[in-house]
Amino acid sequence: MNTLLEFLKNRNWMLWALILGVATGLIFGERVAFLQPLGAGFVKLMQITIFPYIVVSLIVGLGKFNPEQVRSILLKAATVMICLWGVGLFAIWCFTFTLPQHDAGTFFSPALIAPTNNIDFAQQYIPANPFASLAEGNVPAIVIFCIALGMALIANKRKNTVLEFLDVIGQGLTVISKKVISIFPIGIFAMTASTAGTLSVEELNNLQVYWVLVLCLGLYLMLVLLPMLVAALTPIKYRALILVMRNAWITAFSTGNVFIVLPVITEGIKEHLRTIKKADEQADHIAEVLVPIAYTFPSLGKLTTLIFVMFAGWLTGNPISLTDIPNVTLSAMLSYFANVHLAIPFMLDSLKIPADSYQLYLSMSVLTAKVVSPTTVVYIFAFVFLSIFYCRKQLHLKRLRSVYYLTLFSALLPAFMLASFTLNSYLAKNSQAADEVIANMVIADKVPAHVLGYVPKAYQSGELSLTNIDVIKKRNLLRVGYLIDNVPFSYFNQKNELVGFDISLAHRLASDLNVNVEFIPFKKHQLNEYLNKGFFDVAMSGLEINVADLTKVRFSDQVLQLQLALLARDHQLDRFSTIKDIAQQTLTIAHVEYAPLLHQVAKNYPSIEFKQLPNLKAYFADPDRYDALVISAEAGFAWSMFYPEFGVVVPQGEISKYPTGFAVAKRNYDLLNYLNAWLDIQHANGQVDANYRYWILGQGSQKTVKRWSLLDEYAPELLD
């Protein structure tokens, strides 16, 4: 691969492909989405040589050393890596404190109750079966195996035969890589165009504060801290380093993938050392060994995702304090040795941040990879260059250039921090608050409705009512009972419209019956009386199907299965982490329903006293009287959007779920049979699931804006 970088340097096709791809995406918008598979195909082409390259470069690079050299080189490389981690983590922590004030609160996500991912370091790093590790793409295990084999060959007198053979294979891999890279600008163009054309405004708006935070941090690390450290301590000039990294940086930015540019990084380092007349055989071997090692160990690029953990704490109202920093840093360094998708859930769990925040990371991973991957590329270049010159004892501090760059990157840190804080404060100020999102949700398909705030006297005859489908159609009215302020199942939005999961289903039921709908309020303890006296036909409001009420009313088949949880002030959530923690305390816990279930709990745990409230708003009117509120996790998250100082916790050790459904009077079998058959249809056609995604998960709760493009804006007549 000796001529690989020269091949790229003489032709700036990748840079032009990147620029042209962005321009094409902005001009044509979603019309260029068809280019995405083409870009994905080029990424797979680039991956053809990567695993063989790691094996060959590590074994050959280490095998050519003598034992004294290896010990000295690895020790000095470890010193450089630890120092880079130190300065990088300091910068990361500085940026976490640029987050503005925020009105916390998020929708529920099923990931909240998903089991915690336990990191299996043994599986990640011990190559019990090297061939399986190669097949599964387990890079850390592959690197460990190759390091062990390479070091085992150091003292072997017959090693030259194997090393020469592997050298020949390496030359073949060079030819393949060169052929692929010669046409790779096509892939860069395809990926950039499809990304720029399909990235929605909604995706940017959802987590724009995090995106700005990562962007400012990434730019500081990529353009200031790392290259200026190299320029300050080594003979390499800042501008020359930027040019050397350019092609690998562009490829990593376009693809969001560092793995495929490892050969380009290695050859770029070797070629630049030859250009400045600092190359020798040892330097080449160091580059071949350290590049895959740097990729395997936590890089500063990978560690920038640590800022998401801080962002998630800020977003959910659990900000990380100064006293948490030492423990968080230690946990991060241990967990980031594994895959980042294992490390982030582990970190969220260790900091008691709701695990569903991980879904936010996944939704932004495509965007953040555009910063994380290029930062990793710059980190690898900086680490290897610093290690090479440290091994040669050519690191210098007593130079004017060293003082200049050290002073410059120190001064620019607060400038980047100020830019991040200023921009994010503006975005947070102009973004829609969490409570406004849920308060502005509406029902899409409504039938004529009449919402009452009381039970009309005409309905209070006191006679047992028998209602069936024929009666409902004859009167042209479906009467539905609802619980007041039972977010997100039945509540009033900012326009004073009755909305919610069950209210939406009630409108659909009335539409299918071809009748109007009337909503009548009731309190939970009034359910049996109001139904059996005929005040309304059916109760629909996230009602728990419980054994105690089975003899008094008839429940439909299950509509949803909800997760039982506790809601409390954010700073008190740690008290309820496990059932064991709860049992050891003297508590007063409020609830609106769940009386039969909680009666048994009170018997088992006499130190806990349960108080029943008329409605959920009664708890928030005087929350200091209670330690917590029993509620479904789905509803708890919705309420935390209105009251961001509260959070939701699912105690570990005894996770309980319960079914919800509709209720009808005890004698109304005809109506019950109709409801059950109707529910089967709604489940089958996806209507219940669609309602769940909208009202519970909040998907589509903000208006979708058509993807903007220059063609739509300035030349719409060309589309006609």
Side-chain angles (χ1 to χ4, degrees), residues 480-625:
V480 177
Y482 72 95
L483 291 173
I484 300 173
D485 294 323
N486 191 28
V487 183
F489 304 102
S490 53
Y491 66 99
F492 288 90
N493 64 13
Q494 281 193 342
K495 297 179 180 179
N496 204 34
E497 299 170 332
L498 183 63
V499 297
F501 175 89
D502 285 272
I503 303 304
S504 178
L505 286 178
H507 278 277
R508 176 165 283 271
L509 175 61
S511 175
D512 290 340
L513 287 169
N514 198 28
V515 298
N516 297 334
V517 62
E518 183 177 74
F519 294 99
I520 301 166
F522 71 96
K523 296 179 180 179
K524 186 64 173 64
H525 68 274
Q526 298 170 326
L527 174 65
N528 303 334
E529 177 190 357
Y530 281 23
L531 270 177
N532 290 311
K533 286 186 176 180
F535 292 176
F536 42 78
D537 306 318
V538 55
M540 302 169 66
S541 201
L543 297 175
E544 175 198 9
I545 301 176
N546 63 72
V547 176
D549 287 332
L550 284 179
T551 59
K552 303 172 184 175
V553 298
R554 301 295 179 192
F555 286 106
S556 70
D557 292 340
Q558 175 180 296
V559 178
L560 289 179
Q561 189 177 73
L562 302 183
Q563 171 65 58
L564 207 61
L566 290 174
L567 182 141
R569 293 190 185 275
D570 290 326
H571 65 275
Q572 293 185 330
L573 292 178
D574 289 345
R575 298 173 58 193
F576 311 107
S577 298
T578 67
I579 296 295
K580 184 178 179 181
D581 292 338
I582 295 174
Q584 294 173 349
Q585 304 177 62
T586 300
L587 302 171
T588 301
I589 298 179
H591 71 98
V592 174
E593 43 188 334
Y594 319 116
L597 174 65
L598 297 180
H599 178 71
Q600 185 60 43
V601 175
K603 280 186 177 181
N604 296 334
Y605 304 101
S607 62
I608 302 176
E609 182 184 7
F610 293 100
K611 295 282 189 179
Q612 187 162 13
L613 303 178
N615 53 61
L616 289 170
K617 268 203 169 179
Y619 170 78
F620 294 101
D622 191 8
D624 294 331
R625 291 182 58 188

Side-chain angles (χ1 to χ4, degrees), residues 271-346:
E271 179 61 26
H272 188 66
L273 290 175
R274 282 191 285 272
T275 301
I276 63 175
K277 297 181 170 39
K278 297 290 184 180
D280 57 29
E281 189 175 0
Q282 184 189 54
D284 288 351
H285 295 163
I286 292 174
E288 291 168 354
V289 170
L290 293 187
V291 167
I293 290 177
Y295 174 77
T296 303
F297 280 71
S299 67
L300 286 189
K302 186 186 289 187
L303 286 172
T304 57
T305 60
L306 175 62
I307 211 163
F308 172 79
V309 179
M310 312 305 130
F311 167 78
W314 169 83
L315 184 68
T316 56
N318 300 284
I320 308 303
S321 65
L322 284 170
T323 56
D324 294 324
I325 290 179
N327 289 332
V328 173
T329 302
L330 181 60
S331 298
M333 294 311 300
L334 291 175
S335 60
Y336 272 85
F337 273 88
N339 187 289
V340 68
H341 294 291
L342 294 176
I344 289 179
F346 172 79

Side-chain angles (χ1 to χ4, degrees), residues 595-709:
L597 174 65
L598 297 180
H599 178 71
Q600 185 60 43
V601 175
K603 280 186 177 181
N604 296 334
Y605 304 101
S607 62
I608 302 176
E609 182 184 7
F610 293 100
K611 295 282 189 179
Q612 187 162 13
L613 303 178
N615 53 61
L616 289 170
K617 268 203 169 179
Y619 170 78
F620 294 101
D622 191 8
D624 294 331
R625 291 182 58 188
Y626 313 99
D627 295 288
L629 169 72
V630 180
I631 194 172
S632 70
E634 291 80 356
F637 267 82
W639 279 102
S640 72
M641 298 177 76
F642 289 107
Y643 300 92
E645 68 273 20
F646 289 86
V648 179
V649 61
V650 177
Q652 298 300 307
E654 192 175 321
I655 299 176
S656 299
K657 294 184 177 181
Y658 65 92
T660 65
F662 307 150
V664 299
K666 189 175 179 180
R667 295 178 57 190
N668 288 340
Y669 286 103
D670 175 67
L671 179 58
L672 180 65
N673 291 335
Y674 182 91
L675 286 175
N676 286 336
W678 182 82
L679 277 174
D680 288 340
I681 296 171
Q682 303 311 306
H683 279 292
N685 65 23
Q687 187 58 44
V688 173
D689 186 55
N691 270 23
Y692 179 83
R693 291 196 306 271
Y694 180 72
W695 294 103
I696 311 296
L697 304 184
Q699 297 176 9
S701 55
Q702 298 186 53
K703 189 177 294 184
T704 302
V705 180
K706 183 181 178 182
R707 175 62 169 81
W708 176 89
S709 70

Side-chain angles (χ1 to χ4, degrees), residues 45 110 120 189 238 293 321 419 437 482 560 601 712:
L45 277 177
D120 190 345
F189 166 77
Y238 178 88
I293 290 177
S321 65
V437 175
Y482 72 95
L560 289 179
V601 175
D712 290 311

